[in-house]
Amino acid sequence: MNTPFCGVIPPLVTPLTVDGELDLASLERLITRLLDSGVHGLFALGSSGEVAFFDDDMRAQVLDAVTGIVAGQVPVLAGCIDTQTHRVVSHIRAAEKTGVTGVVVTAPFYAITGQEEIRHHFTAIGEAATVPVLAYDIPVCVHTKLAPEMLMDLARTGAIVGVKDSSGDDVSFRRLALQNRAEGEPLALFTGHEVVVDGAYLSGAHGCVPGLGNVDPAGYVRLHTAAQAGDWEQVRLEQDRLAHLMEIAFAPVGKVGPAAGVGSFKTALQLLGVFDTNTMSAPMTALEGSNVDAVQDVLQKVGLL
Amino acid sequence: MNTPFCGVIPPLVTPLTVDGELDLASLERLITRLLDSGVHGLFALGSSGEVAFFDDDMRAQVLDAVTGIVAGQVPVLAGCIDTQTHRVVSHIRAAEKTGVTGVVVTAPFYAITGQEEIRHHFTAIGEAATVPVLAYDIPVCVHTKLAPEMLMDLARTGAIVGVKDSSGDDVSFRRLALQNRAEGEPLALFTGHEVVVDGAYLSGAHGCVPGLGNVDPAGYVRLHTAAQAGDWEQVRLEQDRLAHLMEIAFAPVGKVGPAAGVGSFKTALQLLGVFDTNTMSAPMTALEGSNVDAVQDVLQKVGLL
Amino acid sequence: MNTPFCGVIPPLVTPLTVDGELDLASLERLITRLLDSGVHGLFALGSSGEVAFFDDDMRAQVLDAVTGIVAGQVPVLAGCIDTQTHRVVSHIRAAEKTGVTGVVVTAPFYAITGQEEIRHHFTAIGEAATVPVLAYDIPVCVHTKLAPEMLMDLARTGAIVGVKDSSGDDVSFRRLALQNRAEGEPLALFTGHEVVVDGAYLSGAHGCVPGLGNVDPAGYVRLHTAAQAGDWEQVRLEQDRLAHLMEIAFAPVGKVGPAAGVGSFKTALQLLGVFDTNTMSAPMTALEGSNVDAVQDVLQKVGLL
Amino acid sequence: MNTPFCGVIPPLVTPLTVDGELDLASLERLITRLLDSGVHGLFALGSSGEVAFFDDDMRAQVLDAVTGIVAGQVPVLAGCIDTQTHRVVSHIRAAEKTGVTGVVVTAPFYAITGQEEIRHHFTAIGEAATVPVLAYDIPVCVHTKLAPEMLMDLARTGAIVGVKDSSGDDVSFRRLALQNRAEGEPLALFTGHEVVVDGAYLSGAHGCVPGLGNVDPAGYVRLHTAAQAGDWEQVRLEQDRLAHLMEIAFAPVGKVGPAAGVGSFKTALQLLGVFDTNTMSAPMTALEGSNVDAVQDVLQKVGLL
């Protein structure tokens, strides 16, 4: 592969103060814990990082802080997520200044776009970026699926060097992985689905970008190491343990989307002493009361607390 | 109604130079033509205005230009469209400085949000804005529908003073209009669907925000005037004529979404001598060749050329 | 138009005994009441008639009963709803034997079908049927939309003579009506949306097939008569009254789909003394307790009780 | 597990004569080839078996033929697929008479149904059936997803003894498998997704129901045997080979759904000398010309021809 990206690259959850400001102390504790666990990279400003809730200034603060704390120990990917091409290019320019190793870009959203426009979008971004670009396939947010054929075309022209798959479509992922291998693996392939990383590795993934990796980075590193060694039975057992842990994201009652998932990760990190608060960006609200208890209950059952 | 908003309020298409810059001369011709036709307001930076493709600087340029040209002759609405609450509030702050009369805001998008979060979103925006807020119901872009019950709740607290409905759900719109009338019309109701404005008026709409109004503002003004006079037969005939004209948006082959619809409006305006180009924002491309011919053909059949 | 179909054609709700058998006495009361109100036709075995819940024997019982009671006073349409072409043709054969005036057919469902297959489907059905065929556009049930262009093609070959539109897409309906008029009205157009019949008439509908017409047939007949006379103000007022009444379908808590809508119609008919029970087909259950009270409350407010 | 169902259970493709009749000779060749390859069961009248296209008589013919040919050598499952509860129960009664080992049932479709109705549906079916019932989770056809929590509830009451998952949702499947194991495996779990059987086995599947198994039963039997032995590297290699073969389903141009997928299986079986024709049920048409060549090309690359 022609990229430095491989292995476990958690999408950083962004700690906030109760006033919604970036909580630098918590961020430093989070990153230190992840690096100590042996993760192979970090992905700042992903969907789990609440990127869609942040303006340019907040995004710059996050990238400055992350690259500063990491100080080159592992590659750092930056999510450059916005509605359309020019706005994405602006974010890439800003990210490049902070010294990130690569950027992650979705299909356009809000305005309906066809396959022709999506192709133009990634081609233009590939030409504009001075760092490697990974395509982020996340139809639950952008409401279009990136077709394997188009991703391979973009790989051939060098517009993209990798794919982060959060599509929920494991059939499409297998087809992409198969074609990628047939062409000498121009793409680094990552799955974002916390509970089926093992299957994605069998399919041909080179790594994972699990939001749950913020909570249990060591588990995903063990899973990755076992997969590299071809010890699939160990992979499976570790995955089952992590799938149990992932129930924290399904435990909150009355919450959907990141208010449930990211909300549970932040709550777990607060319970683990890593974060000072579990504050969420408006219009989301933090988990409270019995929803916090439900997260704590799962952590205890899995042995993290 | 407690708002100055009523009647025909076209969502301004944004003319661009071939380099993608704001084309001020074309914009001035467009606005002059609309005001001369008797429109009752203007809506800048709507979906048809390519707002999702523009960064903060471009948005400010558009609002400065529009408010400058209009110079208080009619109310000006500004689309403050972005993914989440804080980003929307930033756009509202910027819009307020340009002297707009009101702002138009969608539900959050990209990150999945539940009804609780959407309610928080509009409540927070209603509190933050110093100008009236209209809710923009456009599930084709944001992938959630604003329920009539929630819109009436937001009306009661004063968070919103109107609704622009581009939901495609005429059943829901009728239910909203009925409830609005039962409570003394706290909301000004607008439809964005060019070819069924007549039905929306029967349902209880106070006005329309038709993208096609950029091309034929006089037709929509005649339709509105006839509706005010209760001359529904004239309303119907004018609507049928405008529905024929709207076929320009379905004529382009190989285009979807705004690349087809807004692309056809810009092409028509170029053919009518109002715009210098039919340039679209990246990653969209302008209509060309037989697609331009198809638009011209419809304009001729309807008698605009 | 080359069909006998025009005006108010309620889709008959099917009364059941508590054991789920066809309740002939209630059916006779219902039909008598509808005919006395001046409806222009009847549609048996539509979605509102629970056709999808009935086997061949029950369908035959319903058609025999309806055609027997109607005895040629008005045209009778039969829903021949099933998954694929051959099964639909079997239902048409059975329906023809009962003496119905025409049949109503949806796009195929369950198995995914493309536009090519849908075209084949209606073409084959048009060839097989000895009575006129109406296309039933109901994407909420079959999950594909019938494109106006295809419907006009089928009209030109004589495969269909009408369309019942329950698509919820008033933009598409206007485009269909416009094209239909341009070609001399080969199609009789009906809307199934109870609360926006007025807008559909402005668009070019020749009639309506309102489930709510089971409850208030006289209201829809008045609406139709006013529309024929061009008295749109009267049309609008009657539609608003009927839209108020339609709130019975939104009143039930904890119910969706026909369990709510058809359930409320049956409950209203029981409260009005027309039906002996409000029994629903399994796996649905009848409205009970506060849900019945909610229906009764709306009936009283609108003055039907 | 309390069922006889485990291992590779291909969903039988149904061979037709050019006139659309059941082709018994081809069916016998198909079943003989499958049994010779060591499959562990057969599933007649699944989606791949074109069940939605068949009337009661044709369904009876298929089940009689299959149970007759199999003659008890392996368990036979029968798809009892229809819109609503009573119609499904009728199919179950008919299937039971043919001596099938178990039945497979989907959620209701056509009429919108809520979670409450789906639960009633499966509960009623579990009570009515005298043979074991498997739930068939196939939202692409029925447009609702069966929630893992509900499936476990139905397992606890004994209403169902297994699940065939064609949901495309591998996250949900992992959660179901995890909960199933925690409760002592009351459910036999099968995946229908041909190219990710390996991942499903890691997740906890007990077998697979691959349409492609009609074409290469030996491959799936080798995959299953390797999984039973814990030889995951062999599982992965066999899966990759089968994933290559599955490209036959993506090769046809201008076809969607079963017209593409099942059409390619039938075409492959004809090319392999098992089927006499590749005829499809109306309104689908058989693959022809370059689409047949494309299937042949894949078969040759994978070494089956």
Side-chain angles (χ1 to χ4, degrees):
Chain A
M1 285 186 296
N2 54 3
T3 77
F5 308 113
C6 184
V8 181
I9 306 181
L12 286 169
V13 170
T14 309
L16 302 174
T17 66
V18 287
D19 299 327
E21 304 293 320
L22 179 61
D23 174 354
L24 277 169
S26 293
L27 181 62
E28 185 152 6
R29 281 194 298 272
L30 173 67
I31 292 176
T32 301
R33 182 167 177 262
L34 294 172
L35 294 177
D36 288 350
S37 301
V39 302
H40 307 89
L42 293 174
F43 173 27
L45 296 178
S47 303
S48 300
E50 294 173 80
V51 62
F53 299 81
F54 296 163
D55 60 17
D56 293 359
D57 182 56
M58 181 65 162
R59 293 187 188 204
Q61 283 183 53
V62 171
L63 291 187
D64 281 337
V66 172
T67 51
I69 297 167
V70 172
Q73 300 176 67
V74 295
V76 173
L77 287 168
C80 293
I81 313 296
D82 221 317
T83 45
Q84 299 290 341
T85 312
H86 286 322
R87 296 180 69 175
V88 171
V89 171
S90 297
H91 292 299
I92 291 176
R93 286 286 165 271
E96 286 169 343
K97 286 181 192 152
T98 67
V100 299
T101 325
V103 292
V104 184
V105 172
T106 71
F109 53 95
Y110 188 79
I112 295 169
T113 44
Q115 289 298 310
E116 179 191 336
E117 282 85 21
I118 296 174
R119 219 175 260 269
H120 286 173
H121 176 73
F122 279 109
T123 301
I125 281 161
E127 286 167 6
T130 62
V131 293
V133 177
L134 283 82
Y136 192 173
D137 193 14
I138 186 161
V140 74
C141 290
V142 303
H143 302 278
T144 46
K145 173 84 181 76
L146 300 178
E149 296 77 8
M150 190 187 68
L151 291 169
M152 290 310 304
D153 284 346
L154 293 167
R156 285 177 208 119
T157 66
I160 62 171
V161 301
V163 174
K164 190 218 156 174
D165 181 88
S166 295
S167 73
D169 185 340
D170 56 339
V171 170
S172 174
F173 188 77
R174 184 55 158 265
R175 294 185 68 216
L176 174 63
L178 211 61
Q179 191 58 35
N180 191 43
R181 198 173 309 140
E183 302 194 19
E185 307 222 307
L187 293 174
L189 301 181
F190 295 87
T191 181
H193 291 291
E194 285 91 348
V195 305
V196 287
V197 172
D198 54 353
Y201 274 37
L202 275 185
S203 281
H206 305 98
C208 57
V209 185
L212 188 67
N214 287 278
V215 179
D216 191 359
Y220 283 102
V221 170
R222 285 194 298 270
L223 189 162
H224 181 76
T225 304
Q228 296 296 100
D231 183 355
W232 294 104
E233 188 59 22
Q234 192 55 39
V235 168
R236 188 181 71 75
L237 290 171
E238 192 66 53
Q239 179 63 84
D240 272 348
R241 203 186 60 82
L242 290 163
H244 271 120
L245 179 59
M246 187 64 186
E247 291 296 312
I248 60 174
F250 299 99
V253 174
K255 299 280 184 185
V256 297
V262 177
S264 76
F265 300 157
K266 286 192 171 185
T267 299
L269 288 165
Q270 187 182 20
L271 291 166
L272 291 168
V274 181
F275 275 18
D276 284 338
T277 82
N278 66 347
T279 305
M280 300 291 288
S281 298
M284 300 184 291
T285 56
L287 297 191
E288 294 179 322
S290 60
N291 279 336
V292 171
D293 297 344
V295 171
Q296 183 167 333
D297 190 46
V298 175
L299 291 179
Q300 285 170 339
K301 277 186 188 153
V302 179
L304 282 196
L305 261 189
Chain B
M1 284 186 296
N2 54 4
T3 77
F5 308 115
C6 184
V8 181
I9 305 182
L12 287 169
V13 170
T14 309
L16 301 174
T17 66
V18 289
D19 298 327
E21 303 294 320
L22 179 61
D23 175 354
L24 277 170
S26 293
L27 181 62
E28 186 152 7
R29 280 194 298 272
L30 173 66
I31 293 177
T32 301
R33 183 168 176 261
L34 294 173
L35 295 177
D36 288 351
S37 300
V39 302
H40 308 89
L42 293 174
F43 173 26
L45 296 177
S47 302
S48 300
E50 294 173 80
V51 64
F53 299 82
F54 296 162
D55 60 18
D56 293 359
D57 182 55
M58 181 65 161
R59 294 186 187 205
Q61 283 183 53
V62 170
L63 291 187
D64 281 336
V66 172
T67 51
I69 298 167
V70 172
Q73 301 176 68
V74 296
V76 173
L77 288 169
C80 293
I81 312 296
D82 221 317
T83 44
Q84 299 290 342
T85 312
H86 286 322
R87 295 180 71 176
V88 172
V89 170
S90 298
H91 292 300
I92 292 176
R93 286 285 164 272
E96 287 168 341
K97 286 181 192 151
T98 67
V100 299
T101 324
V103 293
V104 184
V105 172
T106 71
F109 53 95
Y110 188 79
I112 295 169
T113 44
Q115 290 298 309
E116 179 191 336
E117 282 84 19
I118 295 175
R119 221 175 259 268
H120 286 173
H121 176 73
F122 279 108
T123 301
I125 281 161
E127 286 168 5
T130 62
V131 293
V133 177
L134 283 83
Y136 192 173
D137 193 13
I138 187 160
V140 74
C141 290
V142 303
H143 302 278
T144 45
K145 173 84 182 74
L146 301 178
E149 296 78 9
M150 190 187 68
L151 291 169
M152 290 310 304
D153 284 347
L154 293 168
R156 284 178 208 119
T157 65
I160 61 171
V161 301
V163 174
K164 191 219 156 173
D165 181 88
S166 296
S167 72
D169 185 340
D170 55 341
V171 171
S172 173
F173 187 77
R174 184 57 158 262
R175 295 185 68 216
L176 175 62
L178 212 60
Q179 191 58 35
N180 191 44
R181 198 172 310 139
E183 302 195 18
E185 306 221 309
L187 294 173
L189 301 181
F190 296 87
T191 181
H193 291 291
E194 286 90 349
V195 305
V196 287
V197 172
D198 54 353
Y201 274 35
L202 275 186
S203 281
H206 305 97
C208 57
V209 185
L212 188 66
N214 287 278
V215 178
D216 191 359
Y220 282 102
V221 170
R222 283 193 300 269
L223 190 162
H224 180 76
T225 305
Q228 296 296 99
D231 184 355
W232 294 104
E233 187 59 22
Q234 192 55 38
V235 168
R236 187 182 72 75
L237 290 171
E238 192 66 53
Q239 180 64 85
D240 272 347
R241 203 186 61 81
L242 290 163
H244 271 120
L245 179 59
M246 188 64 187
E247 290 296 311
I248 61 174
F250 299 99
V253 173
K255 298 281 184 183
V256 297
V262 177
S264 76
F265 300 157
K266 286 192 171 185
T267 299
L269 288 165
Q270 188 182 18
L271 290 166
L272 291 168
V274 181
F275 275 18
D276 284 338
T277 81
N278 65 346
T279 306
M280 299 292 289
S281 298
M284 300 183 290
T285 56
L287 298 191
E288 293 179 324
S290 60
N291 279 337
V292 172
D293 296 344
V295 170
Q296 184 167 333
D297 190 46
V298 175
L299 291 179
Q300 286 170 339
K301 278 185 187 154
V302 179
L304 282 195
L305 263 188
Chain C
M1 285 186 294
N2 54 2
T3 77
F5 308 115
C6 184
V8 180
I9 305 181
L12 287 169
V13 170
T14 309
L16 302 174
T17 66
V18 289
D19 299 327
E21 304 295 319
L22 179 60
D23 174 354
L24 277 170
S26 292
L27 181 62
E28 186 153 6
R29 281 194 298 272
L30 173 66
I31 293 177
T32 301
R33 183 169 177 260
L34 294 173
L35 294 177
D36 288 351
S37 300
V39 302
H40 308 88
L42 293 175
F43 173 28
L45 296 177
S47 304
S48 300
E50 295 173 76
V51 64
F53 300 81
F54 296 162
D55 60 17
D56 293 0
D57 181 57
M58 180 66 162
R59 294 186 187 204
Q61 282 183 54
V62 170
L63 291 187
D64 281 336
V66 172
T67 51
I69 298 168
V70 171
Q73 300 176 69
V74 296
V76 173
L77 288 169
C80 293
I81 311 296
D82 220 318
T83 44
Q84 299 290 342
T85 312
H86 286 322
R87 296 180 71 176
V88 171
V89 171
S90 298
H91 292 299
I92 291 176
R93 285 286 164 273
E96 287 168 341
K97 286 178 193 155
T98 67
V100 300
T101 325
V103 292
V104 184
V105 172
T106 70
F109 53 94
Y110 187 80
I112 295 169
T113 44
Q115 289 298 309
E116 179 190 336
E117 282 84 20
I118 296 174
R119 220 176 258 268
H120 287 172
H121 176 73
F122 279 108
T123 300
I125 281 161
E127 287 167 5
T130 63
V131 292
V133 177
L134 283 82
Y136 192 171
D137 193 13
I138 187 161
V140 74
C141 289
V142 303
H143 301 279
T144 45
K145 173 83 182 75
L146 301 178
E149 296 77 10
M150 191 186 68
L151 291 169
M152 290 310 304
D153 285 347
L154 293 168
R156 283 178 209 120
T157 66
I160 62 172
V161 301
V163 174
K164 191 219 156 174
D165 181 87
S166 296
S167 72
D169 185 341
D170 55 341
V171 170
S172 173
F173 187 76
R174 184 59 160 260
R175 294 186 68 216
L176 174 63
L178 212 60
Q179 190 58 34
N180 191 43
R181 198 173 309 139
E183 303 194 17
E185 307 220 311
L187 293 173
L189 301 181
F190 295 87
T191 179
H193 291 291
E194 286 90 349
V195 304
V196 287
V197 172
D198 54 353
Y201 274 36
L202 275 185
S203 281
H206 306 96
C208 57
V209 185
L212 188 67
N214 287 279
V215 179
D216 191 359
Y220 282 103
V221 170
R222 284 194 299 270
L223 190 162
H224 180 76
T225 305
Q228 296 295 100
D231 184 356
W232 294 105
E233 187 59 21
Q234 192 56 38
V235 169
R236 187 182 72 73
L237 290 171
E238 192 66 54
Q239 179 63 85
D240 272 348
R241 202 186 63 81
L242 289 162
H244 271 119
L245 179 59
M246 187 65 187
E247 290 297 310
I248 60 174
F250 299 100
V253 173
K255 298 281 184 184
V256 298
V262 177
S264 75
F265 300 157
K266 286 193 172 185
T267 300
L269 287 164
Q270 188 181 19
L271 290 166
L272 291 167
V274 181
F275 275 19
D276 283 338
T277 82
N278 65 348
T279 305
M280 299 292 290
S281 298
M284 300 184 290
T285 55
L287 298 192
E288 295 179 322
S290 59
N291 279 336
V292 172
D293 297 343
V295 170
Q296 183 167 330
D297 190 46
V298 175
L299 291 178
Q300 286 171 338
K301 277 186 187 153
V302 178
L304 282 194
L305 265 188
Chain D
M1 286 186 294
N2 54 2
T3 78
F5 308 114
C6 183
V8 180
I9 305 181
L12 287 169
V13 170
T14 308
L16 302 175
T17 66
V18 287
D19 298 327
E21 304 294 319
L22 179 61
D23 174 356
L24 277 169
S26 293
L27 181 63
E28 185 152 7
R29 282 195 296 272
L30 173 67
I31 292 176
T32 302
R33 183 167 176 262
L34 293 173
L35 295 177
D36 288 350
S37 300
V39 301
H40 308 88
L42 293 174
F43 173 28
L45 296 178
S47 302
S48 300
E50 295 172 78
V51 64
F53 300 82
F54 296 162
D55 59 18
D56 292 0
D57 182 57
M58 180 65 162
R59 294 187 188 203
Q61 283 183 53
V62 171
L63 290 188
D64 282 336
V66 172
T67 51
I69 299 167
V70 172
Q73 301 176 68
V74 296
V76 173
L77 288 168
C80 294
I81 313 295
D82 221 318
T83 44
Q84 298 290 342
T85 311
H86 286 322
R87 295 180 70 175
V88 171
V89 171
S90 297
H91 293 299
I92 291 176
R93 285 287 164 270
E96 287 168 343
K97 287 180 193 154
T98 67
V100 300
T101 326
V103 292
V104 184
V105 173
T106 70
F109 53 95
Y110 187 79
I112 295 168
T113 44
Q115 290 299 309
E116 179 191 336
E117 281 86 19
I118 297 175
R119 218 176 261 268
H120 286 172
H121 176 74
F122 279 109
T123 301
I125 282 161
E127 286 167 6
T130 62
V131 293
V133 177
L134 283 83
Y136 192 172
D137 193 13
I138 186 162
V140 74
C141 290
V142 303
H143 302 278
T144 45
K145 173 84 182 76
L146 301 178
E149 296 78 8
M150 190 187 68
L151 291 168
M152 291 309 304
D153 284 346
L154 293 167
R156 284 177 209 120
T157 66
I160 63 171
V161 301
V163 174
K164 190 216 156 175
D165 180 88
S166 295
S167 72
D169 185 342
D170 56 340
V171 170
S172 173
F173 188 77
R174 184 56 160 262
R175 295 185 68 216
L176 174 63
L178 212 61
Q179 190 58 33
N180 191 42
R181 198 172 309 139
E183 302 194 20
E185 306 221 311
L187 293 173
L189 301 180
F190 295 87
T191 180
H193 291 291
E194 286 91 348
V195 305
V196 287
V197 171
D198 55 352
Y201 274 36
L202 275 186
S203 281
H206 305 98
C208 56
V209 185
L212 189 66
N214 287 278
V215 179
D216 192 359
Y220 282 102
V221 170
R222 285 195 298 270
L223 190 162
H224 180 77
T225 306
Q228 297 295 99
D231 184 355
W232 294 105
E233 187 60 20
Q234 193 55 38
V235 169
R236 189 182 70 75
L237 290 171
E238 194 65 54
Q239 179 64 83
D240 273 347
R241 202 186 62 82
L242 290 163
H244 270 120
L245 179 59
M246 187 65 187
E247 290 297 311
I248 61 174
F250 299 99
V253 173
K255 299 280 184 186
V256 297
V262 177
S264 75
F265 300 157
K266 286 192 171 184
T267 300
L269 288 165
Q270 187 182 21
L271 290 166
L272 291 168
V274 180
F275 275 17
D276 285 337
T277 81
N278 66 347
T279 305
M280 300 291 289
S281 298
M284 299 184 291
T285 56
L287 297 191
E288 294 179 323
S290 59
N291 279 337
V292 172
D293 296 344
V295 171
Q296 183 166 334
D297 190 46
V298 175
L299 291 179
Q300 286 170 339
K301 278 186 187 152
V302 179
L304 282 195
L305 264 187

